PDB file of all heavy atoms in Angstrom:
ATOM      1  N   LEU A 286      17.517   3.137   3.598  1.00 94.00           N
ATOM      2  CA  LEU A 286      17.399   2.423   2.362  1.00 94.00           C
ATOM      3  C   LEU A 286      15.992   2.653   1.749  1.00 94.00           C
ATOM      4  O   LEU A 286      15.895   2.767   0.567  1.00 94.00           O
ATOM      5  CB  LEU A 286      17.735   0.940   2.610  1.00 94.00           C
ATOM      6  CG  LEU A 286      17.823   0.068   1.367  1.00 94.00           C
ATOM      7  CD1 LEU A 286      18.920   0.517   0.525  1.00 94.00           C
ATOM      8  CD2 LEU A 286      17.987  -1.368   1.778  1.00 94.00           C
ATOM      9  N   SER A 357      14.532  -3.849  18.428  1.00 97.00           N
ATOM     10  CA  SER A 357      14.849  -5.303  18.785  1.00 97.00           C
ATOM     11  C   SER A 357      14.796  -6.176  17.528  1.00 97.00           C
ATOM     12  O   SER A 357      15.556  -7.216  17.486  1.00 97.00           O
ATOM     13  CB  SER A 357      13.794  -5.854  19.734  1.00 97.00           C
ATOM     14  OG  SER A 357      12.526  -5.995  19.169  1.00 97.00           O
ATOM     15  N   ASP A 389       8.860  16.421  -1.597  1.00 69.00           N
ATOM     16  CA  ASP A 389      10.051  15.679  -1.965  1.00 69.00           C
ATOM     17  C   ASP A 389      10.785  16.391  -3.063  1.00 69.00           C
ATOM     18  O   ASP A 389      10.343  16.439  -4.181  1.00 69.00           O
ATOM     19  CB  ASP A 389       9.672  14.257  -2.361  1.00 69.00           C
ATOM     20  CG  ASP A 389      10.932  13.433  -2.816  1.00 69.00           C
ATOM     21  OD1 ASP A 389      11.926  13.573  -2.005  1.00 69.00           O
ATOM     22  OD2 ASP A 389      10.870  12.713  -3.700  1.00 69.00           O
ATOM     23  N   LYS A 409      -3.972  -5.167   7.592  1.00 94.00           N
ATOM     24  CA  LYS A 409      -5.106  -5.980   7.227  1.00 94.00           C
ATOM     25  C   LYS A 409      -5.252  -7.170   8.061  1.00 94.00           C
ATOM     26  O   LYS A 409      -4.369  -7.931   8.305  1.00 94.00           O
ATOM     27  CB  LYS A 409      -5.007  -6.368   5.781  1.00 94.00           C
ATOM     28  CG  LYS A 409      -6.236  -7.075   5.203  1.00 94.00           C
ATOM     29  CD  LYS A 409      -6.202  -7.296   3.791  1.00 94.00           C
ATOM     30  CE  LYS A 409      -7.532  -7.871   3.261  1.00 94.00           C
ATOM     31  NZ  LYS A 409      -8.666  -6.997   3.484  1.00 94.00           N
ATOM     32  N   THR A 416      -7.811 -16.789   8.151  1.00 94.00           N
ATOM     33  CA  THR A 416      -6.702 -17.398   7.406  1.00 94.00           C
ATOM     34  C   THR A 416      -6.509 -16.687   6.125  1.00 94.00           C
ATOM     35  O   THR A 416      -5.368 -16.414   5.695  1.00 94.00           O
ATOM     36  CB  THR A 416      -6.964 -18.873   7.169  1.00 94.00           C
ATOM     37  OG1 THR A 416      -7.142 -19.567   8.432  1.00 94.00           O
ATOM     38  CG2 THR A 416      -5.822 -19.540   6.441  1.00 94.00           C
ATOM     39  N   MET A 425       1.042  -9.571   0.354  1.00 97.00           N
ATOM     40  CA  MET A 425       1.130  -8.192  -0.069  1.00 97.00           C
ATOM     41  C   MET A 425       2.308  -7.520   0.529  1.00 97.00           C
ATOM     42  O   MET A 425       3.030  -6.749  -0.164  1.00 97.00           O
ATOM     43  CB  MET A 425      -0.162  -7.410   0.311  1.00 97.00           C
ATOM     44  CG  MET A 425      -1.377  -7.856  -0.515  1.00 97.00           C
ATOM     45  SD  MET A 425      -2.752  -6.700  -0.237  1.00 97.00           S
ATOM     46  CE  MET A 425      -3.154  -7.080   1.458  1.00 97.00           C
ATOM     47  N   ASP A 443       6.078   3.249 -12.122  1.00 96.00           N
ATOM     48  CA  ASP A 443       5.621   4.235 -11.108  1.00 96.00           C
ATOM     49  C   ASP A 443       5.115   3.571  -9.841  1.00 96.00           C
ATOM     50  O   ASP A 443       5.364   4.109  -8.703  1.00 96.00           O
ATOM     51  CB  ASP A 443       4.408   5.007 -11.707  1.00 96.00           C
ATOM     52  CG  ASP A 443       4.740   5.861 -12.772  1.00 96.00           C
ATOM     53  OD1 ASP A 443       5.883   6.566 -12.675  1.00 96.00           O
ATOM     54  OD2 ASP A 443       3.996   5.975 -13.717  1.00 96.00           O
ATOM     55  N   GLY A 459      -6.189  -5.186  -2.268  1.00 95.00           N
ATOM     56  CA  GLY A 459      -5.670  -5.155  -0.941  1.00 95.00           C
ATOM     57  C   GLY A 459      -5.009  -3.839  -0.567  1.00 95.00           C
ATOM     58  O   GLY A 459      -4.739  -3.535   0.566  1.00 95.00           O
ATOM     59  N   VAL A 510     -19.735  -2.795  -4.937  1.00 83.00           N
ATOM     60  CA  VAL A 510     -19.073  -1.573  -4.383  1.00 83.00           C
ATOM     61  C   VAL A 510     -17.586  -1.612  -4.540  1.00 83.00           C
ATOM     62  O   VAL A 510     -16.903  -0.562  -4.714  1.00 83.00           O
ATOM     63  CB  VAL A 510     -19.530  -1.410  -2.871  1.00 83.00           C
ATOM     64  CG1 VAL A 510     -20.987  -1.063  -2.824  1.00 83.00           C
ATOM     65  CG2 VAL A 510     -19.169  -2.641  -2.082  1.00 83.00           C
TER      66      VAL A 510
END
Side-chain angles (χ1 to χ4, degrees):
L286 188 62
S357 71
D389 180 42
K409 184 171 185 63
T416 300
M425 287 191 293
D443 291 322
V510 291

